[in-house]
Amino acid sequence: MYGAGDVRVETIPDPRLIEPTDAVIRTVRSCVCGSDLHPYHSMEASEQGSPMGHEAMGVVEEIGAAVTSLRPGDLVISSFTYQDNTCEFCREGFHVSCLHGGFFGGQGIGLQSEFVRVPLADGTLVAVRAADGSAVDETGNGSEELLASLLSLSDVYLTGYHAATMGRVGPGQTVTVIGDGAVGLSAVLASRQLGADRIILMGRHASRTDLGREFGATDVVAERGQEGIGLVRDLTDGHGSHVVLEAVGHRPAYEQAVGVVRAGGTISRVGVPQYREAPIGGSLFLNNITLTGGTAPVRRYLESATAQVVAGEINPGRVFDVTMPLTQAPAAYAAMDAREALKVMLVP
């Protein structure tokens, strides 16, 4: 990306092993994230550009001498951060704060690419195995549906799951999800997995909210602002929701979350905030509201979620509604920006 709206496909040198903890993977699938649209709207023009993409799965081509958990030929999923999975923060489940890690996409390594050097490969990549321990090949053993769901674990589904986990979603609760993008829909599916009794999806795009209902939403509120807040309050006998999952990142969505949370409830945010200031006092303090959430430590959940997908227990890959060749990445960005696509899968 060279600036707002300026995405290009270029040929660069093939990656190579640099550190003994590295691996090189051949990408099988990548995609465009809703968070990629933030720089697409606002990035200042640059002469050198920035490699893009932080979601991918691929086949291991080479491994460094210190890599022990992977072997060439493995089909692997990458989390959108790289981490050692051994430092104190990783051990506590917050891999995005790894003392030795970093983020794909913004630090010189983009995953919207044919080949990628993956630092700290043992801590970053998870090999896909069937329940009996046998390998799953790069075709998903012949299932495009399986590939899509595995790819969603690189970020989008597990970001929604993280929102629900940090919000402590569980049985007996009413959950409101704000946002009908791929993360919001993933948060609906995750809330259903965690046993929420009622899930209210706030979104206004019927094709997306229809999928939200299939994922487990019991109610849909298309209205925004005070009107939408009022309708959620009406659905909850005036009390509001036990947990609100905010998956947008803009201040109006945050204010909507404040408006629909009940006394003693929790707001969990995973939409990357595009605002510098927002209220944290007032009703939040008075009513003992917990404010939580943050960048998802995907690696924390990746192994268990991979097993669920392979076993057919969840199918979060349904959020991909358009597939394009990697060479058409600029069109993929444009389609998502114009809301002509919910989430675009890129095939090298």
Side-chain angles (χ1 to χ4, degrees), residues 66-90:
V67 176
T68 60
S69 65
L70 305 167
R71 57 182 181 268
D74 281 344
L75 178 66
V76 292
I77 307 169
S78 174
S79 54
F80 66 80
T81 58
Y82 55 90
Q83 56 274 306
D84 57 23
N85 201 31
T86 59
C87 82
E88 61 181 293
F89 294 122
C90 288

Side-chain angles (χ1 to χ4, degrees), residues 7 11 13 21 50 55 79 94 114 151 236 251 261 289 337 344:
V7 177
T11 298
T21 51
S50 176
E55 301 160 278
S79 54
F94 294 98
E114 292 175 308
L151 177 60
T236 56
R251 179 160 169 170
V261 69
I289 306 303
D337 186 47
V344 180

Side-chain angles (χ1 to χ4, degrees), residues 197-260:
D197 281 7
R198 189 173 196 180
I199 304 170
I200 302 167
L201 174 59
M202 301 192 79
R204 61 195 182 98
H205 303 89
S207 61
R208 301 181 180 193
T209 56
D210 286 349
L211 178 56
R213 288 187 184 278
E214 293 180 41
F215 274 178
T218 55
D219 305 272
V220 170
V221 172
E223 290 76 8
R224 295 178 170 182
Q226 289 302 315
E227 185 179 5
I229 291 170
L231 288 169
V232 173
R233 290 275 173 181
D234 289 344
L235 288 169
T236 56
D237 297 323
H239 296 156
S241 292
H242 297 94
V243 184
V244 183
L245 309 180
E246 193 274 280
V248 179
H250 293 292
R251 179 160 169 170
Y254 173 78
E255 293 172 345
Q256 202 159 278
V258 172
V260 301

Side-chain angles (χ1 to χ4, degrees), residues 155-312:
D155 179 352
V156 60
Y157 174 65
L158 291 180
T159 292
Y161 188 86
H162 181 61
T165 298
M166 293 296 284
R168 297 182 180 178
V169 170
Q173 292 182 330
T174 294
V175 177
T176 294
V177 176
I178 299 175
D180 59 8
V183 172
L185 297 178
S186 295
V188 169
L189 179 58
S191 296
R192 175 57 64 206
Q193 288 291 307
L194 293 172
D197 281 7
R198 189 173 196 180
I199 304 170
I200 302 167
L201 174 59
M202 301 192 79
R204 61 195 182 98
H205 303 89
S207 61
R208 301 181 180 193
T209 56
D210 286 349
L211 178 56
R213 288 187 184 278
E214 293 180 41
F215 274 178
T218 55
D219 305 272
V220 170
V221 172
E223 290 76 8
R224 295 178 170 182
Q226 289 302 315
E227 185 179 5
I229 291 170
L231 288 169
V232 173
R233 290 275 173 181
D234 289 344
L235 288 169
T236 56
D237 297 323
H239 296 156
S241 292
H242 297 94
V243 184
V244 183
L245 309 180
E246 193 274 280
V248 179
H250 293 292
R251 179 160 169 170
Y254 173 78
E255 293 172 345
Q256 202 159 278
V258 172
V260 301
V261 69
R262 69 185 278 141
T266 298
I267 297 171
S268 181
R269 303 178 303 154
V270 291
V272 181
Q274 300 302 298
Y275 50 88
R276 291 180 177 270
E277 298 179 354
I280 59 171
S283 65
L284 292 177
F285 185 80
L286 176 66
N287 292 314
N288 295 281
I289 306 303
T290 298
L291 182 62
T292 187
T295 308
V298 164
R299 186 64 179 81
R300 170 177 171 180
Y301 313 113
L302 191 49
E303 288 171 336
S304 59
T306 298
Q308 280 188 294
V309 166
V310 172

